[in-house]
Structure formats: C-alpha cells, structure tokens
Amino acid sequence: MRYLILSDIHSNLTALETALKAAEGRWQNAVCLGDLVGYGPDPNEVIDRIRSLGALTIRGNHDKAVSGAVEADEFNPIARNALLWTREQLRPENREYLETLPRGPVSVDGFSILHGSVYDEDEYVFSPALALDGLLNAPSPVSFFGHTHLQGGFSLRNGDVTVLYFKPTGGNPFSIFRVEPGTTYLLNPGSIGQPRDGDPRLGFAIADLENQSVEFWRIPYDIEAVQNRMTKAGLPEPLILRLSFGS
Ligand code: ZN
C-alpha cells in the first residue's frame, strides 16, 4: 500500500492542490500529521479538501488552539493574530471536525503518525538529543512526525542516532529513501503550507513500506497567489513574507 504523507498544511490551499496534482495516481491512502490550519488564508477550503480525501488525520497544535482546546495566549502575537482570524472564518462543522481530531501517535498500517514528539504533540524534535527518547520508545520501526516544518528526520541503529536530510537533485521532484530492517526511524515529510528549511518549495512524502521505500518530494507552487489572498485577508505581513524564503 502506498501512503501519501501530508503535514503542516496551514491553510494553504494552493500548495495543497499543487502537491495533490503532482502525487496524482501514485498513492492509495492519505494521512495527515496535523496543523491543517493557522497562518494561511484558506482554512475552510483546506479542511474540506482533506476531508474529501478521506485522509486519516491527527491534530496539530494549531488545530487544537483554533478549536479552542488551548488558549491562544500560548502563541506568539503574530501566530495568535492568524489564529483568531482563523477562528472567525471557520464554518461550525469544520470547527467541530478539528475538535474531534485524535491526538497522535496513531498507528496506521505498520507505521505510526504523530505531530510533535512521541510523548508531546507540542514538542519540537529538532536535534538527535531530542529525537533519541522517541526513537527508543517509538511505537513502530517507522514513525512520521511534523511540527518542525523541516523535511528530514532521524534514525537509530545499534545505539547511534543519524540525522537524515532529503534533497531531490538533478531536477527530480523527489528523492527515494530506503528503509533498512533493524533500524528505527522518525521521518518528517516536510510542510505543505509553510516550509522552514530555507527552501520555499512545498514538501510531502509517499511511503511504500512493503517495498522499504519512502519518496521525499519538493515542488514549487504559486506562492504569490497565496500571498495576495493573505494580504486581502489582512493577515500579518511577516507571515506573508516568510513564504517567499521558506523561513
Ligand atoms: Zn505547523
């Protein structure tokens, strides 16, 4: 079974549609690692689209905050501004949908999905030291996580943690990573709606674990169209500008 792995869409419908078009016909089931909303201009449209895919979805910290499960005060002023705007926009049934999203880790088909870390959906797994605990106690040999918006991940083999980077080269839209037996992986597909690794192209993954393969994709999309909608919506300028830099 081939799984489309999406994360951190952040109300960016243009990026989501571009990813879906690129991945068309290459997957059978979709999963989403949370943060459907927050930052971007299309919260309802993104939720509608994810629901139409029948994607198995867990909640992210922004989904939780928008649905009112935590106080907006916990976010920085810029993120909070976008969050309050998103709350106003959401149709009641979409707000309800966000409220009912399960928290990770959730096991799928021989792998697991989570938003932040294995223990805490709000924790950022940036470094090998932070990844080690999760790798030692991972619910399955392969887990996919999001939240950092950094495509890549960590592996654990014979007590050694390795940092993994995936960059498609030579004009390819994706690179193929081989999953080895006897190794534990925490893999991040990257962010659809707001990449933060200095590369503004959207990121996602397609996993085919029966064949030990995971494709890590990077695709350009029409960033300006999203920025124009953000300007019209009156969303904070730093959020608009950062899309151009992938920062
Ligand atoms: Zn996020």
Side-chain angles (χ1 to χ4, degrees):
M1 185 80 78
R2 289 173 64 90
Y3 280 88
L4 176 66
I5 320 271
L6 305 169
S7 192
D8 296 281
I9 302 165
H10 286 295
S11 299
N12 186 337
L13 184 69
T14 307
L16 177 60
E17 291 293 2
T18 305
L20 292 174
K21 196 159 180 240
E24 207 177 321
R26 304 181 66 98
W27 54 274
Q28 284 104 36
N29 277 316
V31 299
C32 178
L33 317 182
D35 279 2
L36 280 72
V37 299
Y39 301 134
D42 318 304
N44 286 303
E45 293 81 354
V46 163
I47 295 172
D48 291 345
R49 193 68 175 102
I50 287 294
R51 294 179 79 172
S52 80
L53 295 176
L56 172 57
T57 302
I58 55 170
R59 71 182 188 186
N61 53 315
H62 284 259
D63 307 320
K64 199 167 58 169
V66 164
S67 69
V70 291
E71 286 305 314
D73 306 359
E74 289 180 24
F75 285 72
N76 71 53
I78 289 168
R80 186 165 64 233
N81 177 314
L83 201 131
L84 296 175
W85 179 86
T86 304
R87 268 189 197 165
E88 277 168 29
Q89 306 300 312
L90 274 189
R91 297 200 308 270
E93 75 268 22
N94 280 343
R95 187 181 170 134
E96 240 166 72
Y97 171 77
L98 293 183
E99 278 167 15
T100 57
L101 287 178
R103 119 195 242 155
V106 165
S107 66
V108 188
D109 179 10
F111 65 93
S112 307
I113 57 174
L114 49 128
H115 186 68
S117 76
V118 170
Y119 302 106
D120 180 355
E121 60 198 335
D122 295 332
E123 188 183 9
Y124 291 93
V125 180
F126 277 129
S127 66
L130 292 167
L132 181 60
D133 234 22
L135 287 164
L136 288 170
N137 297 289
S140 50
V142 177
S143 303
F144 290 95
F145 73 104
H147 196 39
T148 61
H149 299 206
L150 304 175
Q151 192 176 55
F154 306 91
S155 66
L156 176 68
R157 189 183 178 87
N158 301 328
D160 290 325
V161 179
T162 304
V163 180
L164 306 168
Y165 296 104
F166 310 108
K167 264 277 190 241
T169 51
N172 292 324
F174 64 87
S175 55
I176 297 179
F177 179 68
R178 293 269 159 220
V179 172
E180 307 273 343
T183 306
T184 308
Y185 297 93
L186 276 175
L187 300 175
N188 190 323
S191 168
I192 292 283
Q194 195 200 74
R196 289 181 192 162
D197 54 3
D199 179 348
R201 295 177 300 168
L202 66 87
F204 66 92
I206 297 176
D208 180 2
L209 294 176
E210 281 147 23
N211 291 305
Q212 290 82 46
S213 132
V214 184
E215 296 168 1
F216 286 87
W217 286 68
R218 294 308 282 262
I219 306 269
Y221 70 97
D222 188 353
I223 292 173
E224 222 181 288
V226 184
Q227 290 172 320
N228 289 340
R229 290 201 298 283
M230 291 174 82
T231 304
K232 258 194 215 140
L235 286 161
E237 206 181 354
L239 295 180
I240 299 173
L241 291 176
R242 71 188 298 180
L243 292 180
S244 301
F245 303 102
S247 64

